[in-house]
Every structure is written in structure tokens, then in C-alpha cells.
Amino acid sequence: MDSIAGLLDSPRAHGALMIRALLEPPWSVRVVDRAPLSIVALASGTAWVTYDDAEPVRVGEGEIAIMRGPDPYVFSDHPATEPQAVIHAGGRCETPDGRSLADELDADVRTWTHGGGGSARMLIGSYENSGEIGARLLDALPRLVVVTKEMCDCPVLPVLEEEIGRNGPAQRVVLDRLLDLLVVAALRAWFARPEARAPGWYRAQGDPVVGRALKLLHNDPAHPWTVAELAVRAGVSRAALARRFAELVGEPPMTYLTGWRLALAADLLREPDATVGAVARRVGYGSPFALSTAFKRVHGVSPQEHRLAAAGA
């Protein structure tokens, strides 16, 4: 597994909120759902994203905006347009004074309309619990990413727009997987840009020494790695690897390995049939107790508590 695969392997939607919005100006929506990750693809028209403490950012036709929670923001036709609706967790929509807009917005299958037209046409997806998005990916993202058509002319978009309006068998599963594909395609394009503030370990994948060590750790996290063995495999001295790894990644190799193992464990624990013992073996811990101790130290909860929280979210 290369570094980008390790970063982008985690988006796995499960019953994610998916809608198509057809909006005629003036329109403005304030989003306070605290979703860990949301994405808006503008099929036509333009929009603005405004956070309470930042200047508005324009999103053009054919572009994709990705918002990392939990900060609230306003999505509108113009920064000066006052919000007419407020989106809460679970897709619940109200006027600013608390009146439900459910009947007005559910005009068609997964379609919201406003103003009787659709000069702005957008596809909106939202992951509603952080268990569907790996912590390392969320930590690597700014709260707003705008991906232009030049960065990513994504072939998934027309398929997703067509599928949003359908109610076929297993439609929810189809939409979840298409949302995952769209997010991965957009973020892969963004991380390739020089202006992307990728984490140190991601940038270090291009280094001939540290990149080799990272690939070894990603490919086989269960192996009983030592700095000495990594250094031999990377073709440098132990001291040289330790120094260069810390400079580029920002932490020592074994600290990074612990974080990587526990991030993988957090994802694996969401699988219905996975036991703590099986997960421990897959990520390099000798016993369920050893994994539980390390997991609770880093995440603040036991593996079982993490599993229950992810299932109930």
C-alpha cells in the first residue's frame, strides 16, 4: 500500500446523506450539522462558502467543495444573501426561526428545490459519523478544499447525478460507494497540488529513504519492525534513518508505526465480524489486552467502546 492509498482508503459511507439541490437565486443555507466531512459538486451555476471567521470562497461550475467539520458555514448564491434555511444533523432542515422545511424540500426523490428553478444545480453528500472517515485523513485536511475542473474532471459525477434520482434495489449501497469514489478522486487530485497542506508523512513518500520506510510500514504493519531493520531495508544507517524520518515526518519511526497500527485498528473494529483478538493480530499486537491498552491510551476508549460508538452513530 502506498502512502496515498493509506490516506484515502478510509472513506466508507454507510447510509450517507445524498441529495440533489436545484436552486434559484437568491438562496442561502446555513449548515450546522457538525458532519465530519461533506462534499458539494456544482453541476451548474456558482456558489459561495462562508465561514464565520473567514472571507467567502467562490465555487464555480464544475468544481467540487469539500468541507471538514465541525465548524458551521453558509453555502449561498452570494455572500450577502441571508440564510433562508438551516441544516442540522441527519439532514433536518428548518427556517432560521425553527419552522420545518421538510415538505417544501422533498419535491422529488432525494431532490431539494428552491425558487422554482435550478440555475444552480448541485450534488451534496455528507458523512454523518467520523467512523466512516479515517482520523488521519481528517487531520490532513483543511476545513475547506475547492477542487477545480483542471485538477479533477471526475467521470463519477454524471453517474452519481443519475443515480441520486433513482429508487432501485440496493440504491443506498450504490450511492454510498459512488460518494466514496467521488471523495477519493477529488482528494487525490487535491493532494497532488503543491499548495495542498498534506501531512509530513504524506509529503515524505517521495523521499528515497523515508518513502521506502513508510511503504514497508504501510504494507506490513503487523511485522515486528525495529528502526534497525527499517534502516537495513532502506539502505542507510539506523541513526540516519531515525534523523531523516523525524525531520520529514515529524515523529520517530516507531511512534509513527504505533499511530498507523491504531488508525488501522479503529477502521477494522467497525467491521461487524471482527474480534479484538483478530484485529490485534492484523495490526501487530500480540494480544487483545496489548491492543486494548494502547488503543485506550490514544483514543480514550476501549476497542469495544469504540465499536459500539461507531455502530450507534
Side-chain angles (χ1 to χ4, degrees), residues 194-212:
E195 65 269 25
R197 294 185 297 275
W201 65 265
Y202 178 85
R203 298 191 302 270
Q205 67 179 324
D207 182 81
V209 173
V210 178
R212 172 65 175 161

Side-chain angles (χ1 to χ4, degrees), residues 21-25 27 43-45 112-122:
L22 307 174
L23 308 173
E24 197 67 34
W27 58 268
S44 64
W112 289 359
T113 60
H114 170 79
S119 59
R121 192 172 89 254
M122 57 192 73

Side-chain angles (χ1 to χ4, degrees), residues 10-291:
S10 56
R12 296 168 192 162
H14 181 72
L17 175 67
M18 288 292 302
I19 63 167
R20 176 179 56 181
L22 307 174
L23 308 173
E24 197 67 34
W27 58 268
S28 179
V29 177
R30 182 167 175 81
V31 182
V32 297
D33 61 0
R34 298 183 64 84
L37 197 72
S38 299
I39 184 167
V40 179
L42 232 67
S44 64
T46 60
W48 292 81
V49 182
T50 307
Y51 284 91
D52 295 346
D53 59 354
E55 292 297 313
V57 176
R58 184 180 182 275
V59 185
E61 184 169 314
E63 297 184 344
I64 299 170
I66 300 175
M67 285 71 65
R68 174 182 56 78
D71 292 353
Y73 57 91
V74 173
F75 215 81
S76 61
D77 70 302
H78 189 276
T81 304
E82 290 293 324
Q84 301 136 343
V86 181
I87 305 294
H88 298 273
R92 180 170 57 88
C93 188
E94 299 176 339
T95 60
D97 61 4
R99 179 175 60 86
S100 174
L101 290 171
D103 293 338
E104 297 175 32
L105 295 176
D106 291 334
D108 199 355
V109 178
R110 299 184 195 88
T111 301
W112 289 359
T113 60
H114 170 79
S119 59
R121 192 172 89 254
M122 57 192 73
L123 311 179
I124 303 169
S126 183
Y127 295 81
E128 296 192 279
N129 95 74
S130 57
E132 298 170 277
I133 301 289
R136 283 183 176 259
L137 175 55
L138 292 176
D139 289 345
L141 294 175
R143 65 180 178 182
L144 175 63
V145 170
V146 177
V147 179
T148 67
K149 287 183 69 174
E150 290 72 28
M151 294 183 197
C152 178
D153 190 7
C154 184
V156 175
L157 280 175
V159 180
L160 178 58
E161 183 168 17
E162 182 178 348
E163 290 292 340
I164 280 180
R166 289 184 177 177
N167 254 340
Q171 194 65 18
R172 176 57 63 191
V173 176
V174 171
L175 292 175
D176 282 346
R177 297 292 75 77
L178 287 173
L179 175 60
D180 292 342
L181 283 172
L182 178 60
V183 169
V184 169
L187 289 179
R188 181 176 65 173
W190 182 76
F191 276 120
R193 304 290 294 181
E195 65 269 25
R197 294 185 297 275
W201 65 265
Y202 178 85
R203 298 191 302 270
Q205 67 179 324
D207 182 81
V209 173
V210 178
R212 172 65 175 161
L214 284 168
K215 187 173 182 179
L216 290 167
L217 297 178
H218 284 178
N219 282 344
D220 192 3
H223 184 79
W225 292 107
T226 64
V227 178
E229 183 179 359
L230 280 174
V232 169
R233 301 280 292 272
V236 295
S237 71
R238 183 182 184 279
L241 175 64
R243 181 177 61 254
R244 190 163 183 81
F245 198 103
E247 288 174 354
L248 296 182
V249 179
E251 58 187 352
M254 295 300 101
T255 303
Y256 176 84
L257 176 60
T258 297
W260 176 239
R261 284 171 168 171
L262 294 177
L264 290 176
D267 283 345
L268 291 170
L269 286 164
R270 299 201 315 267
E271 298 179 0
D273 299 329
T275 66
V276 176
V279 171
R281 290 189 294 273
R282 288 180 65 179
V283 300
Y285 283 88
S287 69
F289 177 77
L291 172 61

